[in-house]
């Protein structure tokens, strides 16, 4: 594992693990550490291939060494809209099956917006209100899309955006429609915490693994802060870690090596 507390662009901590397995273990312990450090933690999660392994390890460690999670609050940074919540690809279902259920998180402490509503503006406000009532988010495990999106905030989303319903990435939307047979006239999207809301989290951990994420990680971490790459805004966060496996971190590791940085 390679760590550095200062990057060329900010004071972010960069952690590049040697393997995917080490990445999953490291990420899992970041979540567990937050739970143990603050027994009333409000923790934001992300779904997708990057997070399945870390969620599994958290659940396995909890099963072997149970600890008090009765006052832990979990939520996901986003949720799909205009789909049944029971859809296997809904964020609610994935988080419930992967981590909230195995840890026995009480239902009232699993905060998620609905997937179906007549008023998603009101649901966005209510989602943020429920988080605020618990003191706001302590930790956000934040995935990054191949186009640099965070949550479902696509390129071009203003940094001052607050929780809203964003369009899906076209490729992802096409896949969801194939899996659900949702008719073309049904508008799909994602209720997502806005960039501003995400940045108000006390601690961010931007996570990525796989060689397909290497280029966007380089642009987000070493390039300019720009709405063209929403993830680049984390360079401005005062308490942010970049956690990568060796493949996702390959290009920034090469950059560091060329300049003599020890990370």
């Amino acid at each position: 594992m390679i760590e550095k507390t200062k990057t060329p662009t900010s004071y972010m901590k960069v952690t590049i693990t040697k393997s995917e397995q080490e990445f999953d273990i490291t990420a899992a312990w970041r979540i567990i550490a937050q739970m143990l450090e603050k027994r009333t933690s409000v923790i934001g999660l992300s779904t997708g291939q990057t997070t399945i392994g870390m969620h599994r390890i958290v659940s396995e460690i909890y099963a072997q060494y149970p600890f008090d999670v009765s006052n832990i609050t979990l939520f996901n940074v986003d949720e799909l809209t205009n789909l049944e919540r029971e859809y296997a690809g809904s964020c609610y279902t994935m988080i419930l099956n992967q981590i909230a259920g195995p840890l026995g998180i009480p239902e009232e402490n699993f905060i998620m917006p609905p997937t179906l509503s007549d008023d998603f503006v009101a649901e966005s406000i209510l989602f943020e209100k429920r988080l605020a009532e618990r003191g706001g988010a302590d930790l956000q495990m934040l995935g990054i899309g191949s186009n640099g999106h965070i949550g479902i905030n696509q390129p071009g989303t203003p940094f001052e955006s607050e929780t809203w319903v964003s369009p899906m990435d076209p490729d992802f939307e096409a896949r969801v429609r194939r899996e659900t047979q949702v008719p073309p006239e049904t508008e799909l999207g994602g209720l997502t915490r806005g960039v501003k809301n995400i940045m108000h989290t006390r601690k961010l951990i931007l996570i990525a693994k796989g060689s397909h994420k290497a280029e966007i990680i380089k642009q987000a971490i070493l390039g300019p802060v720009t709405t063209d790459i929403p993830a680049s805004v984390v360079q401005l966060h005062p308490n942010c870690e970049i956690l990568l496996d060796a493949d996702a971190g390959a290009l920034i590791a090469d950059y560091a090596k060329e300049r003599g940085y020890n990370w």
Side-chain angles (χ1 to χ4, degrees), residues 86-97:
E86 291 71 26
Y87 166 50
S90 79
C91 300
Y92 173 88
T93 294
M94 287 190 282
I95 296 298
L96 179 65
N97 292 340

Side-chain angles (χ1 to χ4, degrees), residues 3 20 37 39-40 50 52 58 65 92 126 208 211 240-241:
E3 296 188 356
E20 181 178 351
E37 179 182 340
R39 299 303 178 117
T40 58
T50 300
I52 293 173
V58 170
Y65 305 103
Y92 173 88
L126 179 60
S211 57
C240 180
E241 177 182 11

Side-chain angles (χ1 to χ4, degrees), residues 81-82 114 116-126 165 191:
T81 56
N82 291 327
L116 298 172
S117 175
D118 293 328
D119 190 346
F120 281 115
V121 172
E123 296 297 348
S124 298
I125 294 170
L126 179 60
V165 176
L191 192 158

Side-chain angles (χ1 to χ4, degrees), residues 102-114:
L103 267 61
I105 299 295
E107 183 177 358
E108 62 271 20
N109 292 349
F110 181 29
I111 297 179
M112 291 291 292

